[in-house]
Amino acid sequence: MSIEAELRAEFDRWERNETVFFNVLPYFLLSVCTLITLLLPLWDVPLNLPVVLGLTLVIALWVAWFHARPRWHRSGPLMGLYYAGLIVLGASVVALAPWYGIFTFVGYVHAFLFLKGRWRYVGVAATAMIQAASSTGGMAGAEVDEWLVLSLVIIVLAGSFFRFAELDDRRNHRQKQALAELHEANVKLEAALAENAGLHAQLLVQAREAGVLDERQRMAREIHDTLAQGLAGILTQLQAAEQTADRPRTWGRHVTNAMNLARDSLTEARRTVHAVQPEVLADARLPDAISDVTRRWSQVHHIDASLTTTGDPRPMHADVEVTLLRAAQEALTNVAKHAHASRVGLTLSYMEDLVTLDVRDDGVGFEPAVRRASGATDGGFGLAGMRQRVQRLAGRLEIESEPGGGTAISATVPAIPAGAGL
C-alpha cells in the first residue's frame, strides 16, 4: 500500500472514531449527571427529582431526534434550531441541578460541529454563560457580578481553545483535500501509465513490422546485387558463347567467364544467407575491393574502367563500405546492360565528414525525367535499391544523364568510422 493510501486510510479511521465518540458523548454525560441526580437524595440534598429526570429524558430525546435526521446536518437554519433548543434545555436543567453543567460541555462540541462562522462563537458564549452559572450554584443562587466575571473568563478561555480547534480543523481539512487531490492525480497517472504501456506495446509491434520490412528490403537488395547480377552476367556470357560456337577459343573464354561468375555468385549467396559483408570486403579495404570489382568487370565486358581514390582512405563502418561497394557494382552492371560505353571512370573521395563514390560513363545516356514519368524510378529496381541503401545511412544519391551525353551517378554517405554506432 502506498503512503498516500495509508494516510487516507488513517484519516478515515480517525474520522470514524471521532464521529462515534461525538455521537456517544451527549448520552454519556447525561448518564453521569443522571447518576449524580439519583445519588444526591441519599445525602438529603433538596431536589425536584421528577422534573430533573423529565428534563433529562427530553434532552436525550432531542439529541436522538436530531441525530436520526442526518439530512438536517446540511441545513444551517435547522441546525441553528436544534442548537437553540439544546441551549434552552441545558440552561433549564442547570437552573434546577447545577451539576448538569457537566452535560453542557456538549454545547462546545455541537457548536463546532453544527454551527458555521460567527454563530459558532455565539454558541460558545452561550455555553460558557450556562457553565458559569453551574459553577456558581445554578441560576437561582448565582450572584450577578460573580456570574458575569466567571462567564467572561470562561468565554475568553473557551473562545481561545475553540479558535485553536478551528484552525486545526482547517489544517486537517486542507490535508484531507490535498490527499484527495493526490489520489486523483495518482489515478490519472496510473491511467496515463496504462495508456503509455499500450502505446509502447503498439510501438514495439510497429518497430517489429518495420524491422521485418527493412529486412525484406535488405534481402531484396542483396539478392539483386549478388544473385541477379551474377545470373545476368552468366546469361550474357553464355549467349556470347552460343554465338561463337564455331570459334573454340572465344567460346571457351566465354564459358570460363560464366563459370567464374557462377562461383562468385554462389559465394555471395552463401554470405548473404549468413548476413555477413561481401567477400571482396572480408579481407580488403574499400578502395581495394572496388578496384578489384572494377578490374574483374572490365575483363569480363572488355570495357576500359578504372578507380581513382582521393583524400585519406580510412576504415569505415561496415554498412558504409557495403553501401558504396554495392553502388559501384550496380552502376557497373547498368553500364554493361544499357550504356554501350567504351570507358567508365570511378572516383572514391574521402572527405572529413563524407565519403562519395562517383561513376561516370561515356555511353548513350538517358533522360531521368522520362524514366520517372514512365514509372521506371530512375532506371529500375537496381537504382531504387541503391537509393534505399544510401538513404538508409542518411546519404543522398544523384543521377545526371542525357541522351548521347553519358551518365554520372554520385552516392554520398556520412563518413562513419569503423567501430562507431549508427
Side-chain angles (χ1 to χ4, degrees):
M1 181 182 295
S2 64
I3 296 177
E4 172 260 335
E6 291 179 357
L7 289 175
R8 291 183 68 248
E10 183 66 24
F11 267 105
D12 291 341
R13 283 196 299 271
W14 174 259
E15 286 190 347
R16 287 195 299 269
N17 294 336
E18 187 180 64
T19 300
V20 171
F21 174 77
F22 288 142
N23 288 339
V24 172
L25 182 62
Y27 306 107
F28 173 75
L29 295 180
L30 273 179
S31 300
V32 172
C33 295
T34 302
L35 179 61
I36 296 173
T37 301
L38 294 175
L39 292 177
L40 285 179
L42 299 177
W43 288 276
D44 296 327
V45 176
L47 178 65
N48 192 342
L49 186 60
V51 176
V52 173
L53 293 178
L55 283 173
T56 301
L57 179 60
V58 171
I59 292 172
L61 292 175
W62 180 254
V63 173
W65 179 66
F66 175 74
H67 283 169
R69 288 164 174 76
R71 288 181 298 178
W72 283 29
H73 299 180
R74 296 188 293 270
S75 173
L78 292 177
M79 288 190 293
L81 175 64
Y82 159 75
Y83 192 82
L86 183 67
I87 290 297
V88 170
L89 291 172
S92 300
V93 74
V94 166
L96 298 174
W99 55 87
Y100 270 83
I102 298 172
F103 167 75
T104 58
F105 176 79
V106 173
Y108 298 124
V109 177
H110 284 196
F112 185 82
L113 294 176
F114 303 128
L115 299 183
K116 303 296 181 183
R118 296 179 179 178
W119 287 106
R120 284 181 167 180
Y121 292 93
V122 173
V124 169
T127 302
M129 294 173 69
I130 296 174
Q131 288 203 318
S134 171
S135 300
T136 55
M139 298 295 186
E143 293 291 338
V144 176
D145 294 341
E146 182 183 358
W147 174 70
L148 287 176
V149 172
L150 187 57
S151 295
L152 182 61
V153 172
I154 296 176
I155 288 173
V156 172
L157 292 176
S160 300
F161 283 113
F162 199 85
R163 178 60 178 171
F164 289 129
E166 191 174 38
L167 293 176
D168 186 66
D169 180 68
R170 290 179 182 176
R171 179 177 60 82
N172 291 337
H173 179 72
R174 287 194 296 268
Q175 288 180 345
K176 184 178 179 181
Q177 185 176 6
L179 285 175
E181 292 174 355
L182 179 61
H183 175 70
E184 183 179 357
N186 285 338
V187 170
K188 292 181 179 179
L189 179 60
E190 290 176 359
L193 289 175
E195 182 179 0
N196 287 341
L199 291 175
H200 180 67
Q202 184 177 357
L203 288 175
L204 287 178
V205 173
Q206 292 176 351
R208 189 179 299 110
E209 292 176 350
V212 171
L213 178 60
D214 184 68
E215 182 63 16
R216 288 176 177 173
Q217 292 176 344
R218 186 190 72 81
M219 291 301 298
R221 291 191 297 267
E222 290 294 336
I223 291 173
H224 176 272
D225 293 342
T226 56
L227 296 180
Q229 290 181 2
L231 291 174
I234 293 170
L235 181 60
T236 300
Q237 294 299 319
L238 292 179
Q239 289 174 342
E242 183 181 18
Q243 295 173 2
T244 58
D246 55 343
R247 290 174 288 173
R249 292 185 60 185
T250 305
W251 177 87
R253 178 168 53 83
H254 287 305
V255 172
T256 300
N257 288 337
M259 293 175 63
N260 291 334
L261 286 173
R263 291 191 185 96
D264 292 342
S265 298
L266 180 60
T267 301
E268 288 292 342
R270 288 170 177 169
R271 290 184 175 273
T272 299
V273 170
H274 293 287
V276 297
Q277 61 183 349
E279 179 187 13
V280 291
L281 283 175
D283 301 311
R285 300 175 66 183
L286 179 62
D288 297 332
I290 295 180
S291 178
D292 183 58
V293 167
T294 303
R295 178 181 55 78
R296 291 162 60 187
W297 179 87
S298 178
Q299 291 175 352
V300 170
H301 297 283
H302 304 288
I303 299 175
D304 185 20
S306 62
L307 171 69
T308 301
T309 303
T310 65
D312 178 24
R314 56 194 183 276
M316 291 287 121
H317 191 281
D319 285 353
V320 172
E321 295 193 343
V322 169
T323 297
L324 294 176
L325 176 63
R326 293 308 189 197
Q329 290 175 322
E330 177 61 29
L332 292 173
T333 299
N334 287 340
V335 171
K337 287 181 179 178
H338 311 294
H340 304 290
S342 61
R343 187 179 184 280
V344 180
L346 293 83
T347 303
L348 181 63
S349 304
Y350 286 88
M351 292 168 278
E352 182 178 358
D353 299 324
L354 300 172
V355 182
T356 299
L357 174 69
D358 297 305
V359 182
R360 295 178 175 84
D361 67 68
D362 60 356
V364 297
F366 65 95
E367 184 60 55
V370 174
R371 287 286 183 92
R372 285 194 292 269
S374 65
T377 317
D378 288 342
F381 180 82
L383 291 179
M386 188 191 307
R387 188 181 301 280
Q388 288 177 356
R389 282 185 180 275
V390 171
Q391 290 178 346
R392 183 172 175 267
L393 296 178
R396 67 179 185 275
L397 181 71
E398 298 177 354
I399 301 174
E400 297 180 2
S401 183
E402 61 180 358
T407 301
I409 297 177
S410 177
T412 302
V413 294
I416 304 173
L422 287 178

